[in-house]
Amino acid sequence: MKRHYRSSLKVGRDVIAGSLALAAGVYLLMSSSGGWTAWALAIAGVVLLLMVAFALFLLPGMIYRSQPKLKDEYSLIFADDGIGFKTSSIDSTLQWSLYQSWLSDDDFYIMYHGKRDLSVIPRRSLSDKDDERLRQMLTEKIGPPSS
């Protein structure tokens, strides 16, 4: 979830903007020329920085703790007709059409289904051959990776 939020929220831009707004607000308050503009800048900066911190540090843990299914061991089988999905309480096949997009980095494949729903596949769980095959299947079945 942290990687998803880092890529979708433009964290660097938001941290810079929040820091600049906070610094400008504090500067204007210290120089006695601020008034309501200084307070608005300072408050906006703090709120933006708190939103980024919430998304990166608190929300992923809250999501994990609220979803018992995330604590189960998963077994996935990727095939042309779908994805075999098995846990201690689930045994089903997901159709490729469930997923709208995907992306990858050095550590994970992240497959998106819905606005906030995603599946994460750790690349360390795949051999080099399986990693390349999964990338090919994702491209064939879902399309090219999102940027």
Side-chain angles (χ1 to χ4, degrees):
M1 291 305 296
K2 286 181 183 180
R3 286 175 194 260
H4 164 69
Y5 288 131
R6 274 191 219 126
S7 68
S8 65
L9 295 179
K10 309 291 188 245
V11 172
R13 177 202 64 196
D14 293 343
V15 168
I16 290 170
S19 299
L20 288 174
L22 179 59
V26 168
Y27 173 78
L28 289 173
L29 284 170
M30 300 296 261
S31 69
S32 302
S33 63
W36 70 268
T37 306
W39 282 107
L41 280 170
I43 291 170
V46 167
V47 167
L48 186 55
L49 291 172
L50 288 174
M51 288 172 53
V52 169
F54 178 77
L56 290 181
F57 302 110
L58 296 176
L59 192 57
M62 290 169 55
I63 291 170
Y64 180 74
R65 285 187 298 279
S66 71
Q67 295 289 334
K69 70 179 181 177
L70 296 176
K71 296 174 181 92
D72 288 343
E73 184 174 317
Y74 284 59
S75 173
L76 301 172
I77 298 172
F78 295 94
D80 285 329
D81 62 337
I83 302 167
F85 188 85
K86 193 171 202 164
T87 71
S88 61
S89 58
I90 300 170
D91 187 2
S92 67
T93 301
L94 303 175
Q95 298 302 311
W96 285 105
S97 59
L98 174 71
Y99 295 98
Q100 291 93 30
S101 63
W102 66 281
L103 59 87
S104 68
D105 61 18
D106 292 338
D107 299 315
F108 298 100
Y109 286 102
I110 302 174
M111 302 163 26
Y112 293 94
H113 54 99
K115 278 190 163 189
R116 288 183 259 265
D117 299 319
L118 51 96
S119 300
V120 178
I121 311 299
R123 293 182 79 174
R124 68 181 177 274
S125 68
L126 304 167
S127 68
D128 288 342
K129 180 181 171 187
D130 289 338
D131 186 85
E132 183 56 36
R133 179 66 184 131
L134 178 56
R135 178 175 286 282
Q136 289 174 349
M137 290 183 89
L138 290 169
T139 303
E140 290 170 13
K141 302 296 183 180
I142 302 172
S146 302
S147 49

